[in-house]
Amino acid sequence: MKILLISHGFSPDIGGIETHTQTLAQHFVELGHEVKVMTWSLGKNDFFDYDIVRKPSVSTRFKVISWSDWVIENNPTLRLSWPLCFLNKKNIVILQTWLGKEKTGFNWVDYLKKKWLEKASDVIAISKVIQNDVFSSAKIVPNAYNASIFKNLGISRMRDFVFLGRLVSDKGVDMTIQLMELLNQEYNRKFCLTIIGSGPEKNKLMELTAKKGLEDQIVFLGSVKDKRLNEELNRHKFLLVPSRWREPFGIVALEGIASGCIPIVSDDSGLVDAVGEAGITFKRNDLYSLFNEVAQLIDNTSAVDKLQKAAEKHLQSFTGKEIALKTLKVLEGI
């Protein structure tokens, strides 16, 4: 079949949607389908086994959509996909995040996107919370992690905790620093934390680290990716994902599990789906809930072993090939 993937962003841009689009495209090709990607992102097309149509004109949008048998829109991208209103094509929309904002609610664009979902042949939600809160009739197909990069290397885990993500207030990075202070007080020993990522809150977080007197325990590593990121995760025992906002999903948690870390994540979000029985959750936005859950694991080898044993089976549901097959099954059912 001829499959068109529509994605606002794509390589070389970096992000969850960009990565997921690339994963689907590559596995669709490996499964014998013809694939094109249509995107606003500019860049070179030399490294891909499929065509990429970048920043298309209106006529090109019509031409590329007309070429396809199936259209997959990775999150509502109406400026690229609106020609579907005039072309009879089987299409699905993958819901990657919420419609509307937590503080301001729906605006006219969100209402337009909701109508667009209702018009689609079918809708996929990446987690149960997205299905429940945005589009109840959506099929659940999560995002995949890159199993060719993230794996347990079997090396010694000399460091305790790692955070991976954007250094912004929504991600709750400040809670990881406060957690180190609480653990020091409770156990009368020093725990170490590595913060991987960049963002506008970095200086503020470094100031908080200095204020707490934790400079010798906390390392700000900056942005790291691919093989080096996998190696860094393999040096740590626990991955902290204390997001203050309701994450729609959490590929970072899967990357941590695949790298041998125990993920400790905020509840009431898609992170719950991402960790399954291979991680633990705490009450979102609650430092002391985070502390209590971490305390249950410190020096508790039996609890850690149980979580690690659940990892392999859990990860089988999130490989690129498995998610591509599940997505195709939704298409075939239209």
Side-chain angles (χ1 to χ4, degrees), residues 98-105 170 244-246 268 284:
W98 319 100
L99 295 184
K101 299 188 185 303
E102 204 168 7
K103 295 179 180 178
T104 59
D170 283 348
R244 294 187 183 279
W245 87 300
R246 298 178 73 204
D268 187 33
R284 184 169 59 96

Side-chain angles (χ1 to χ4, degrees), residues 112-269:
L112 186 61
K113 289 179 179 179
K114 189 68 178 285
K115 292 296 182 183
W116 190 247
L117 296 175
E118 293 169 357
K119 182 184 181 302
S121 304
D122 213 335
V123 176
I124 284 175
I126 62 169
S127 64
K128 292 175 185 174
V129 292
I130 292 294
Q131 180 198 51
N132 291 340
D133 290 10
V134 182
F135 206 77
S136 61
S137 62
K139 312 287 194 309
I140 297 177
V141 180
N143 287 345
Y145 79 100
N146 192 331
S148 66
I149 293 176
F150 295 97
K151 55 192 72 176
N152 192 333
L153 303 176
I155 63 178
S156 180
R157 297 181 185 273
M158 302 301 293
R159 293 187 64 79
D160 300 305
F161 300 95
V162 60
F163 168 89
L164 170 62
R166 285 268 295 157
L167 305 188
V168 293
S169 57
D170 283 348
K171 296 296 183 181
V173 198
D174 58 310
M175 292 175 67
T176 68
I177 297 169
Q178 293 169 316
L179 175 65
M180 294 305 103
E181 181 182 39
L182 292 177
L183 290 173
N184 287 351
Q185 295 168 355
E186 178 70 18
Y187 291 92
N188 196 29
R189 74 181 201 238
K190 292 184 176 182
F191 292 83
C192 54
L193 165 67
T194 302
I195 296 175
I196 302 175
S198 59
E201 295 286 312
K202 181 178 180 180
N203 290 339
K204 192 174 180 180
L205 292 166
M206 293 182 75
E207 289 172 5
L208 178 62
T209 299
K211 182 180 178 180
K212 301 287 186 183
L214 300 172
E215 298 102 314
D216 61 334
Q217 296 173 242
I218 299 177
V219 175
F220 287 82
L221 202 59
S223 295
V224 179
K225 63 179 183 178
D226 296 340
K227 183 179 178 181
R228 190 186 165 204
L229 175 57
N230 178 227
E231 292 172 351
E232 195 60 43
L233 291 173
N234 268 266
R235 295 188 179 99
H236 294 80
K237 300 169 187 172
F238 304 105
L239 171 71
L240 300 174
V241 192
S243 296
R244 294 187 183 279
W245 87 300
R246 298 178 73 204
E247 295 280 0
F249 188 60
I251 291 178
V252 64
L254 293 174
E255 293 171 348
I257 295 169
S259 302
C261 299
I262 302 297
I264 303 163
V265 307
S266 301
D267 70 1
D268 187 33
S269 70

Side-chain angles (χ1 to χ4, degrees), residues 74-120:
N74 201 0
N75 217 46
T77 313
L78 274 63
R79 287 176 59 216
L80 286 173
S81 60
W82 64 264
L84 282 166
C85 293
F86 305 96
L87 299 170
N88 185 24
K89 297 291 179 180
K90 292 182 178 181
N91 73 301
I92 61 173
V93 180
I94 301 176
L95 265 174
Q96 292 280 354
T97 190
W98 319 100
L99 295 184
K101 299 188 185 303
E102 204 168 7
K103 295 179 180 178
T104 59
F106 265 43
N107 58 31
W108 68 270
V109 175
D110 299 313
Y111 282 108
L112 186 61
K113 289 179 179 179
K114 189 68 178 285
K115 292 296 182 183
W116 190 247
L117 296 175
E118 293 169 357
K119 182 184 181 302

